[in-house]
């Protein structure tokens, strides 16, 4: 009964938000503007330019375009100068305008975001048709739910099977000449939310949000045992260790060590039928045969940060070959049990709060169900 209650609480948080908030935001911020701008596909030097669309609000009626660019969209003087030099850098209802043009409520202002969209991080990425799980999209941002086992960006050995290949194919299918600026990339084994900025200005702003601590990403992880404290903060500095011929992290002691901060909260402990022993109740001990579902928030984005920090507590992630026991298949998990669940940030142009979530994948849910079944069987046998 308690497990059913747990799923009733957690699953709506992880999946219902995905179906409602993300889709509503995607429709409101993207489809509406695309429909309003239909028929104004602009060509520049043989390629369709990428524009930011902004709908003029009632309180902005009567202002000059210049005021919207500086005040609302926070564009730099350098960017506005570049727009002024381009004959179609600024459009109002599909027609070229100057920065002195006054605007009225309901009008559509379009701002060219890349002067040369062909070099905006996409020209070397082959387009490949893929069934992408898109969580959120507007004129400047694209968020997807990356499956475990997929590499984010093309590299040696992965030239046509990456998430970016799929994005390039999606752009081609939907007629978008947007860029691919990946941020918040995930390891191959990690599933969940990944973001793409469609132009350089947006990419720069998202990076700024990260540096200010305004881009927050939360993970869900299945770990061995249970942290001694149900919640806490890990502040172990990190540095690279290649002594074994592979990239691994260790506690930092040299001048090159980097600060790393991880916050965690234990959401649920699954004993799997294991009872307490001489070392104490497994619900309060690291290691052991039990498994915990932890919610993890990172302030810094170091390589292997969550994997290393949770292992430093004596609670390595299930399936982790580097910081765990080396097994690649534990309790039904054929990969490291880490999922990027949620991101929250103020929109880089409107300032409105954006929340994007990706529901728990089947392998993590299946492992929890099996662990709960083990508890039930143990109780029945007693």
């Amino acid at each position: 009964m308690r497990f059913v209650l747990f799923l009733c609480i957690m699953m709506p948080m992880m999946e219902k938000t995905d179906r409602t908030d993300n889709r509503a935001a995607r429709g409101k911020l993207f489809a509406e503007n695309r429909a309003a701008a239909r028929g104004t596909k602009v060509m520049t030097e043989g390629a369709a330019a990428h524009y930011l669309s902004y709908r003029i609000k009632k309180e902005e009626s009567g202002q000059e375009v210049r005021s919207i660019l500086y005040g609302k969209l926070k564009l730099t003087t350098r960017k506005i100068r570049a727009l002024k030099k381009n004959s179609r850098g600024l459009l109002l209802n599909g027609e070229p305008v100057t920065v002195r043009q006054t605007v009225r409520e309901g009008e559509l202002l379009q701002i060219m975001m890349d002067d040369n969209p062909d070099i905006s991080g996409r020209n070397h990425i082959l387009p490949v048709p893929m069934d992408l799980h898109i969580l959120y999209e507007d004129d400047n941002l694209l968020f997807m739910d990356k499956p475990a086992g997929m590499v984010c960006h093309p590299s040696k050995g992965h030239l046509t099977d990456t998430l970016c290949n799929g994005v390039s194919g999606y752009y081609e299918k939907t007629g978008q000449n947007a860029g691919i600026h990946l941020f918040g990339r995930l390891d191959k084994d990690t599933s969940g939310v990944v973001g793409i900025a469609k132009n350089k200005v947006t990419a720069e702003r998202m990076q700024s949000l990260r540096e200010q601590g305004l881009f927050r990403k939360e993970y869900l992880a299945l770990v061995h045992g249970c942290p001694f404290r149900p919640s806490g903060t890990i502040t172990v500095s990190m540095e690279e260790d290649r002594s074994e011929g592979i990239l691994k992290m260790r506690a930092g002691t040299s001048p090159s060590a980097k600060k790393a901060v991880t916050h965690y909260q234990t959401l649920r402990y699954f004993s799997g039928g294991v009872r307490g022993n001489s070392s104490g109740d497994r619900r309060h001990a690291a290691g052991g045969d039990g498994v915990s579902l932890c919610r993890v928030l990172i302030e810094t984005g170091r390589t292997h940060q969550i994997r290393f920090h949770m292992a430093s507590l004596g609670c390595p992630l299930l399936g982790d070959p580097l910081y765990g026991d080396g097994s690649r298949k534990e309790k039904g998990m054929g990969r490291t049990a880490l999922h990027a669940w949620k991101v929250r940030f103020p929109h880089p142009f409107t300032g409105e709060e954006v929340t994007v979530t990706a529901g728990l994948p089947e392998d993590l849910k299946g492992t929890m169900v099996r662990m709960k079944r083990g508890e039930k069987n143990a109780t029945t046998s007693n």
Side-chain angles (χ1 to χ4, degrees):
M1 181 61 71
R2 291 181 180 177
F3 184 61
V4 173
L5 179 60
F6 166 76
L7 289 177
C8 290
I9 294 173
M10 289 300 299
M11 290 307 111
M13 291 169 59
M14 300 173 189
E15 297 174 351
K16 186 176 180 180
T17 304
D18 178 18
R19 296 193 301 269
T20 55
D21 292 351
N22 295 336
R23 292 181 182 178
R26 181 184 174 195
K28 179 180 179 181
L29 296 176
F30 181 65
E32 187 177 277
N33 280 344
R34 285 292 293 273
R38 190 174 292 120
T40 63
K41 188 176 182 180
V42 183
M43 305 301 291
T44 173
E45 297 182 358
H50 179 66
Y51 282 79
L52 162 66
S53 297
Y54 180 77
R55 185 73 64 180
I56 303 301
K57 298 180 174 57
K58 181 178 180 179
E59 61 270 20
E60 297 162 342
S61 184
Q63 295 183 23
E64 292 185 348
V65 169
R66 185 201 318 267
S67 298
I68 303 298
L69 299 179
Y70 277 116
K72 183 64 180 180
L73 300 179
K74 309 295 183 185
L75 296 184
T76 64
T77 299
R78 181 179 180 181
K79 177 61 180 177
I80 294 175
R81 284 175 180 170
L83 292 171
K84 290 165 67 174
K85 292 178 181 179
N86 192 311
S87 62
R88 300 188 70 84
L90 294 168
L91 305 178
L92 189 65
N93 300 324
E95 298 297 326
V97 294
T98 70
V99 295
R100 297 181 182 276
Q101 175 70 41
T102 58
V103 297
R104 296 182 179 180
E105 179 186 0
E107 291 184 320
L108 185 68
L109 178 64
Q110 293 175 277
I111 303 97
M112 186 184 293
M113 299 307 291
D114 283 320
D115 296 329
N116 188 350
D118 286 336
I119 61 173
S120 59
R122 177 184 168 193
N123 59 339
H124 64 290
I125 299 177
L126 295 174
V128 178
M130 291 185 187
D131 185 17
L132 299 177
H133 184 185
I134 296 176
L135 302 172
Y136 173 95
E137 183 175 18
D138 62 28
D139 286 335
N140 301 284
L141 294 168
L142 176 65
F143 284 90
M144 293 146 295
D145 185 357
K146 184 188 83 67
M150 177 180 282
V151 176
C152 281
H153 198 276
S155 60
K156 184 177 180 180
H158 294 280
L159 298 178
T160 61
D161 60 350
T162 72
L163 185 67
C164 286
N165 291 120
V167 172
S168 185
Y170 172 70
Y171 285 166
E172 185 174 78
K173 178 181 178 181
T174 55
Q176 298 185 60
N177 199 44
I180 299 178
H181 302 272
L182 186 68
F183 61 91
R185 71 178 60 193
L186 301 175
D187 291 340
K188 179 181 177 181
D189 267 4
T190 305
S191 58
V193 183
V194 175
I196 297 283
K198 294 185 178 182
N199 54 73
K200 295 176 183 177
V201 175
T202 302
E204 292 169 355
R205 293 193 175 192
M206 293 305 294
Q207 178 60 30
S208 177
L209 290 175
R210 291 187 66 177
E211 292 172 354
Q212 297 175 63
L214 298 177
F215 181 83
R216 299 167 62 84
K217 178 181 284 188
E218 297 181 37
Y219 293 79
L220 293 172
L222 288 177
V223 305
H224 282 285
C226 186
F228 184 77
R229 294 183 176 85
S231 63
T233 299
I234 309 168
T235 58
V236 180
S237 296
M238 300 170 61
E239 62 183 7
E240 293 186 1
D241 178 6
R242 297 181 181 270
S243 60
E244 299 178 7
I246 57 175
L247 174 61
K248 197 173 180 180
M249 306 305 290
R250 65 186 178 194
T253 57
S254 70
S256 62
K258 296 181 178 179
K259 174 184 176 182
V261 180
T262 302
H263 307 281
Y264 72 90
Q265 177 187 12
T266 305
L267 299 177
R268 177 70 159 82
Y269 176 76
F270 302 90
S271 70
V274 177
R275 300 172 65 94
N277 59 17
S278 59
S279 64
D281 191 335
R282 295 291 179 90
R283 290 174 299 173
H284 303 291
D289 293 328
V291 171
S292 295
L293 173 65
C294 293
R295 180 179 184 176
V296 185
L297 172 65
I298 56 175
E299 287 189 16
T300 51
R302 309 302 180 201
T303 301
H304 299 173
Q305 179 174 324
I306 294 175
R307 297 164 64 185
F308 173 75
H309 269 179
M310 295 309 294
S312 73
L313 295 182
C315 299
L317 273 61
L318 262 63
D320 192 335
L322 288 181
Y323 306 99
D325 62 5
S327 172
R328 292 295 294 159
K329 192 170 183 65
E330 297 179 296
K331 305 186 188 304
M333 287 297 304
R335 50 105 174 187
T336 303
L338 184 62
H339 177 69
W341 169 39
K342 177 193 293 186
V343 296
R344 290 179 294 162
F345 60 94
H347 193 278
F349 292 99
T350 68
E352 296 179 0
E353 183 78 9
V354 177
T355 300
V356 184
T357 61
L360 265 180
E362 292 301 318
D363 55 354
L364 267 72
K365 288 194 290 187
T367 297
M368 289 192 292
V369 169
R370 285 189 291 273
M371 293 298 293
K372 180 58 184 177
R373 188 179 298 131
E375 291 179 338
K376 182 177 180 181
N377 291 340
T379 301
T380 302
S381 63
N382 292 329

